[in-house]
Amino acid sequence: KAFPELEHDRGGGNVTRKCLRGNMATVQIVGSVLREPTREAAREPPPEPGNGFRRLSARLRALHPDDSSSARTEIHLLFDQLISENYSEGDGVAPEASSSLVVLLHQIKCPLNQNHLVSKVSQLIHHLLNRLQVIVDEQNLDFLLAYTISAIQQCSPWTHMAILQALAALVYCNGSKCQKYLPDLVGKTGLLIKLSDPAQSDPEVRRAAVHCMANLCLSVPGHPYLDEPYQSICFQTFLTTLQSPKLSDMDDITFCMLLQNALKGIQSLLNSGKMKLTQTEELGALLAVLKKAMFHGLPGLNIEIPTVLYPTPLPQYDGPPPSRPQPSESCASRPPVNKKKKAKVKPKKTQEGEEEDEEANGEIEAAPTTGRVHLHKGNTQCRSSPGVQSLPLDGSGAAGKDRVSSPCSSSSWKRVSSSESDYSDAEGGMQSKMRSYQAKVRQGALACFLSTIKSIEKKVLYGYWSAFVPDTPELGSPQSVSLMTLTLKDPSPKTRACALQVLSAILEGSKQFLCVAEDTSAHRRAFTPLSVMIASSIRELHRCLLLALVAESSSQTLTQIIKCLANLVSNAPYNRLKLSLLTKVWNQIKPYIRHKADVNVRVSSLTLLGAIVSTHAPLPEVQLLLQQPCSSGLSNSSSATPHPSLPDWWKKAPSGTSQEETTVNSPRGSSEPCWLIRLCISIVVLPKEDSCSGSEAGSAAGSTYEPSPMRLEALQVVLAHLARGYFSMAQVYLMELGEVICKCMGEADPSIQLHGAKLLEELGTGLIQQYKPDSTIAPDQRVPVLLVVTFWTMMLNGPLPRALQNSEHPTLQASACDALSSILPEAFSILPNDRQILCITMLLGLNDNKNRLVKAATSRALGVYVLFPCLRQDVVFVADTANAVLRSLQDKSPNVRAKAAWSLGNLTDALIINMETPDPSFQEEFSGLLLLKMLRSAIEASKDKDKVKSNAVRALGNLLHFLQPSHIEKPRFTEIIEESIQALISTVLVEAAMKVRWNACYALGNVFKNPALPLGSASWTSRAYSALTSVVTTCKNFKVRIKSATALSIPGKREQYGSTEQYTQIWNALVTALQKSQDTTDFLEFKYCASLRTQICQALIHLLSLASASDLPCIKEALEQNGDMIQSYILQFLKSGAEGDDTGTPHSPQERDQMVKAALEHIGSVQALAGDTAKRAIMGYLEDILTVYLDSAGSQVALLGLTDR
C-alpha cells in the first residue's frame, strides 16, 4: 500500500491487480501442496553473491516439462523467484541473461495458451530489460519480439498489460531493429494501433499500448528511423490520444500517464529530425493540443482550446476567463508540503520511456516560500509560507543545483515523516500525488513544444506568436492565457522553468520579427498596426517577467527568468520603443548581482546587464543608466525575497593607477565614472566576500576570488559590450583596464587568460575606431596617442609576449595574435624600436606554427601590419610578409587559406598605395620573382572556395595594376598575365557567391587602370569586355552590375575599347542594362536601382566622350530606338546624381553637367565621314538634354528667388 500508483504501471514487474485476480487462488493452492519442497529449498546453503539468476535459471532448465500439475507449479514458482530475486546485491545479472532467457523459453516450450505462465514470462522480460538494464542482442530480440507479438494475438485480454510492458522494454531504443515487425505493430491494422484506440475498453491497456508506440519512436543516432508511413500513423495516433477527452471509466492518474506517453511519442518523432511539420492543419492541430496540455490541471484555470490553431497576428480563441480565487486562497496554487518517506533508492539508470513512481524518483512538488502572482496589473501577491525548496531542473533546465535544499541529497528529507501510508490514508496525499502527475503532463507538453520549435522555421513559428506570448489586454477584457500564465501561476518550480525555457526558445533569434515593433508615437488610427501590436506584446513581456522575478524563490527558476529577460533584451528594438523599459529591468536586476543562494543567479544577472549594454548600442537611455550614482537602485524593496544591497567592497579602486590619474590622462568631457565597469573590475581582481562564498560552482578550492563563471562574465560584460558599444566610458578606465588585462593574462586559468586577451582586442579596436578618417569623435575627445603608446608598452612589457609563446594553449596564442593586430597604427610608429621588432618577429615566427588556429590568426595579423604607414614602404618587411602569406596559402585548412588570401589582398593594396607616392624606389626595389610567385599563388587561390577566391581575385587585380613596364616587357610575364586575366574573366562569369563576382569585376577595373597593359590590342580584351557586358545585363545582384558598369567606364582612351564592333557591343549592353535597371524579383535589390542607373549613365556619357567617327552610326541607331528612355535617365542623373550606394560618381551638379558638355564638345570635334548624319543627330540629342536640364534648373532658381522676395 506504500505505492498504490504502481498498480497502474509498476516498475518492479509485478502483475497488476487484474492479473492477480486471475491466479491468486492457484498460487495459494500451489503453496500449500508444495510446502515441504519449499522448506527444503530454504535449507540449501546461501548462494554466492551475483549468481542468483544463473542458479535459478539452471534449476528451470533442469526441469523436464510435461503436462503434470507439479511440473507446471514448479515452473511458476521458479519464475516467481526469478522475478522477485534481489539482483542489486553482488554482481547483478550477467550480460548473457537475455540469451539464457531465450534458451529457457525454448526448453520449457512455454505455450501461449497458458496465460499465467505467459504473463510471468512477460514480467521477467520487463524486469530484466527495464530494471536491470540487460542488453538484448539482435538475434534474441528478434525471437522475443515474435514471442510477445504472438502472445498479444493469442492470449487472454487480461494478460495484455504484462505483455505490453515487456514489449515496451524490448522496443525501447530498438526501433531500427524492429523493421520487419512494424506492419504487425504500427501498420494501419497493427496491434498497437488497435489497442491504443480511444474505444479500447481497458484504459490501462490503452495507456500501455501508447507507451509501447512512444518507445518504438525513440531514435538512436546513426541508425535508420521509422519509415514515413509509420511516422504519420504514430503521429496521428498520439495526436488523437491528446485530443480525446477523459472517459468516465478512466481514473485521473491513468489519464495523466496516457497524456505523458503521447507527448513523449510526439517529442521522439520531432527529435529524430526526420518528421517535418509542413501542413498548416497538422502543425495547428499539434500546437492546439500542446497548448491545452500545457495548462492541464493548473489550479484555478479552465480554458477551451479549439482543435486547430491558425497563424494570425491577433490573439485567438480566448476561452472562459480564469476564475478569480478568493483572498483566502491566494496561495492555494502552491500546494502544501506533503511529508512522506522516500521509500526506495532510485536505480542508477532507468529507461526514459518508463513511468516511475513519483516518490521513488524523489520528484515531489513542494511548496516554495513565495506565492504566485496574478497576471493583471497591480495585482501582485507576494506572500511567504514555510516550505521545502523545489527540486532542481534536470539536464535541460536551469544550470546548477539549489543549494538551499535538495531532496535528492539532503539527509533531513528522509526524516520528514516515518509513515509509509500517507498516500493511502491521507486525502492531502492523494491530492499532492495528483498535482504531481498533472505537473508532469504540463512539463511533458512544454518539452514537446520545445522540440516543435526546433523542428519548424522561425518565420512559421512567429505566425502563432499571439497564441503563446502575452499581449496587453484591452480595458475590461481578461488576460489571454500564455506561457507567462504558467510562469506566474504554476505551483511547480520545474514547470515554471520549463515554460521559461520555451519562451526563451521563441525569443531566441526573433530580432527580425520584433524589429517591426514601434510605439514611439501615439497611436491614433482606426486600426491597430502590426508594429503597435508587437510593441504592446514586448511591453507585456517585460511587465510579466519582472513580476515573475519579484515573486520567484527557486534559484533555478530565477536563473531561467533572468536568462529569458536577457533573450528578450537582446532581440527587442528599444530604439523604436518608448523609454523606461530598460530602466525598469536595470533597476530590478541590480540586487541579484549579490544573490547569496546561487552563483548562477549572479552570473545570469551579469549576462542580462551585458545584454542591456549591447542592444542597439549606444542607446541614450543606457548611457544615462551607466552614469547613475553607484548606489542607485541597488536596494530594491519590492522583492519578496530580501536581497542585500551591494556593499562598498566593489567601489574601491584596485591598486595601481588611481581614478584621479586616469581621469587626468583621459580626454576632457568623459570623466563621469561608470559604476558597472567599476563593479566588473572589482569582481575580477578583488577577493570575494564571505557573504557570497556559499555554493560557488566553478570556484576552485581555497580560491580567494569570485567563482570563475562570475569573473568570466564580468570580463565579458566589459569586453564584448561596454568596450564595444560605450567606448567613451570605457576609455576613462583605459590604464586601469590595462592592469586588469595584465593580471588576467598572468593567471594560471586559461579561460581567464583568454578573456583578458579578448578584452585587450576590444579595447584596441575601440581605439582604432576613434582614429579612423570617418570617425565622428572630436579630436579632443579621443584618447591621446601618447596614452595609447603607454598602454601598449605596458601590454608588451607584461604577459602578452608570454601568451604569444604559450604553445600549450593554442587558443590563447591565437587570441593574443588577434589582440596584437588591434594596435593603433599611429601608436605603433611611436613605440620603442625594440617593441616594434618584438611584434614583427613574434608574428613572422608564429606564422609557421603547426596549429591552424594560431596560423590563421598570425596570417590575419600580418595582413593588418602590412598596411601600417610605417611598415608598408619597408621593402624587406613587405617581402617577408609576402613569403609568409604565400606559405599559408598552401595550408590544408580552409580557414588558414581564407585568412592568408585576405592578407594577400591587403598586401597588394599596400603595393597600390605605394604606387601613389612620388618616390618610385619601392617599385624599383620590389622583387620581380616575388611578383611572379604572388601571381601564381593568386591564380591557384582563385580556384579555391569562395572565402579564399574573393580575396584572391582582389589580389590579382591589384598585382596586374602594379606591374611596371619593365615587368610586362619580359617574356616570362606574358603568359602569367594572360592566365591571370583569364582567371578573373572565369570568376566574373561563374555562378559563385556575389561577393566573389563583385571582387572579380572590381579586379578587372583595376587591370584597366594600368596603362602599360596592351588593353584593346591584346587577345584577352574582347573576352574581358564580353564578360563585363554579360554581367551588367543579366546578373541578379545589382551591386555586381554596378561594379561591372564602373569597370566598363574606366579605360581612358578610345583605342583601349578595341574595334568598332567591340565598342558597339559595350554601348548596346549598357543601353540594355539601363532599360532593365528596374527588372528584379528581389525587393532588396530595389534600393540599388538608382545607383545602377547613375553608374550606367556615367558610363554612356564616358563612351560618348571617347567615340570615333566609325562609332557614331551605332550610337545614332541606339538613340533612335531608345532615345526617350536614355534622355529621361540622363536628366535624372544630372538633377540628382548618385543615390544609395557610393559608386565614385561626381556628386556636384557642375561636375555632372560638365561631363555632358565635354561629351558634346568631343562629338563636335569628330571628323565625320562624308554624307554621315549621325554626328548632327547625336549633337542635337545632347543639346536637347542640356536645354531641358538648364531650363529646369533655371525655373527652380527663379522659383527660389521669388520665394525669397
Side-chain angles (χ1 to χ4, degrees), residues 871-874 878 907 909-920 922-923 962:
L871 294 177
R872 66 176 176 232
Q873 290 187 335
D874 185 336
V878 174
L907 190 147
D909 285 343
L911 298 183
I912 301 301
I913 295 170
N914 288 339
M915 285 179 65
E916 298 169 0
T917 59
D919 184 7
F922 182 90
Q923 292 94 301
F962 179 78

Side-chain angles (χ1 to χ4, degrees), residues 809-822:
H809 298 291
T811 307
L812 176 62
Q813 280 184 293
S815 291
C817 285
D818 291 335
L820 199 60
S821 69
S822 66

Side-chain angles (χ1 to χ4, degrees), residues 924-1069:
E924 294 168 359
E925 295 176 18
F926 198 77
S927 167
L929 286 175
L930 185 54
L931 275 175
L932 276 173
K933 284 175 63 178
M934 292 167 70
L935 282 166
R936 289 195 182 99
S937 295
I939 291 170
E940 287 302 311
S942 69
K943 303 169 186 175
D944 207 328
K945 296 183 177 179
D946 283 352
K947 286 187 178 180
V948 180
K949 188 184 296 184
S950 61
N951 285 300
V953 294
R954 174 166 71 102
L956 273 176
N958 284 334
L959 287 169
L960 291 170
H961 183 192
F962 179 78
L963 288 178
Q964 305 300 305
S966 58
H967 299 132
I968 297 170
E969 291 168 359
K970 295 176 181 177
R972 61 185 176 185
F973 274 91
T974 305
E975 185 179 350
I976 201 74
I977 290 172
E978 176 81 23
E979 289 179 22
S980 300
I981 293 176
Q982 185 55 48
L984 293 178
I985 293 169
S986 301
T987 309
V988 167
L989 294 173
V990 76
E991 287 296 327
M994 293 307 167
K995 181 180 179 180
V996 174
R997 301 182 74 184
W998 188 95
N999 274 342
C1001 293
Y1002 173 84
L1004 276 178
N1006 257 344
V1007 174
F1008 295 166
K1009 291 178 182 178
N1010 190 341
L1013 289 172
L1015 179 62
S1017 59
S1019 59
W1020 46 262
T1021 302
S1022 60
R1023 297 198 302 273
Y1025 283 131
S1026 296
L1028 291 171
T1029 53
S1030 172
V1031 168
V1032 81
T1033 54
T1034 61
C1035 186
K1036 294 179 181 178
N1037 186 280
F1038 276 24
K1039 294 182 81 171
V1040 177
R1041 287 201 209 181
I1042 291 167
K1043 192 49 65 178
S1044 61
T1046 305
L1048 287 170
S1049 65
I1050 284 175
K1053 298 178 181 178
R1054 170 61 188 85
E1055 55 267 24
Q1056 290 181 320
Y1057 282 102
S1059 64
T1060 302
E1061 291 75 15
Q1062 184 71 60
Y1063 181 96
T1064 304
Q1065 179 191 350
I1066 297 170
W1067 175 268
N1068 290 334

Side-chain angles (χ1 to χ4, degrees), residues 81-380:
Q81 290 183 57
L82 280 168
I83 294 168
S84 60
E85 182 77 15
N86 184 8
Y87 297 107
S88 61
E89 297 179 0
D91 298 329
V93 181
E96 64 272 11
S98 62
S99 300
S100 302
L101 179 61
V102 173
V103 172
L104 283 175
L105 294 178
H106 275 297
Q107 286 187 351
I108 66 175
K109 295 182 175 58
C110 177
L112 296 177
N113 59 357
Q114 294 190 19
N115 292 326
H116 291 293
L117 191 56
V118 170
S119 175
K120 291 185 179 181
V121 168
S122 301
Q123 291 174 57
L124 181 58
I125 294 172
H126 175 261
H127 188 63
L128 290 174
L129 270 62
N130 186 64
R131 293 289 182 221
L132 306 177
Q133 303 298 308
V134 172
I135 306 299
V136 184
D137 59 42
E138 198 160 346
Q139 183 179 356
N140 290 334
L141 177 67
D142 189 67
F143 172 80
L144 293 173
L145 280 173
Y147 179 81
T148 51
I149 290 172
S150 300
I152 293 176
Q153 292 170 336
Q154 300 180 36
C155 291
S156 300
W158 68 266
T159 64
H160 287 176
M161 184 64 195
I163 300 170
L164 286 171
Q165 283 183 333
L167 182 60
L170 286 168
V171 300
Y172 180 78
C173 288
N174 285 323
S176 59
K177 302 174 185 176
C178 305
Q179 296 293 330
K180 70 177 183 179
Y181 297 106
L182 290 180
D184 294 331
L185 292 173
V186 290
K188 290 186 178 179
T189 58
L191 291 172
L192 297 180
I193 302 301
K194 290 179 181 177
L195 295 175
S196 61
D197 190 270
Q200 168 63 232
S201 58
D202 190 335
E204 285 286 355
V205 170
R206 179 186 173 197
R207 184 200 61 77
V210 174
H211 181 208
C212 280
M213 290 178 65
N215 281 7
L216 189 62
C217 292
L218 275 173
S219 61
V220 178
H223 291 271
Y225 196 59
L226 295 179
D227 293 335
E228 198 281 327
Y230 299 118
Q231 291 182 44
S232 299
I233 292 171
C234 291
F235 179 79
Q236 286 302 324
T237 303
F238 295 139
L239 198 61
T240 304
T241 301
L242 293 170
Q243 290 171 335
S244 303
K246 185 175 81 70
L247 301 177
S248 57
D249 60 342
M250 183 182 294
D251 62 81
D252 290 332
I253 290 180
T254 302
F255 184 60
C256 287
M257 296 169 74
L258 175 67
L259 296 179
Q260 285 181 54
N261 287 325
L263 290 166
K264 286 177 184 175
I266 292 179
Q267 187 179 1
S268 297
L269 287 170
L270 295 172
N271 288 345
S272 70
K274 304 294 183 183
M275 185 168 183
K276 303 298 180 185
L277 298 168
T278 55
Q279 301 296 323
T280 303
E281 291 283 333
E282 189 177 57
L283 177 60
L286 174 60
L287 293 177
V289 295
L290 290 180
K291 185 170 183 180
K292 181 180 178 182
M294 277 163 42
F295 299 101
H296 180 79
L298 187 64
L301 196 66
N302 182 23
I303 58 170
E304 293 180 3
I305 304 293
T307 54
V308 179
L309 290 178
Y310 293 99
T312 172
L314 297 169
Q316 52 183 331
Y317 310 121
D318 283 339
S323 57
R324 287 180 176 272
Q326 296 299 321
S328 61
E329 299 174 38
S330 59
C331 293
S333 59
R334 295 287 183 95
V337 181
N338 187 54
K339 302 177 181 179
K340 52 187 103 28
K341 184 177 178 180
K342 187 173 179 182
K344 66 176 181 179
V345 179
K346 182 180 178 181
K348 290 183 180 179
K349 181 179 176 184
T350 307
Q351 286 189 12
E352 186 179 326
E354 188 67 28
E355 290 86 350
E356 291 288 332
D357 171 33
E358 297 296 329
E359 288 67 48
N361 275 335
E363 297 192 0
I364 302 166
E365 301 294 346
T369 59
T370 309
R372 291 287 84 212
V373 299
H374 287 291
L375 283 171
H376 296 287
K377 294 181 180 178
N379 202 13
T380 307

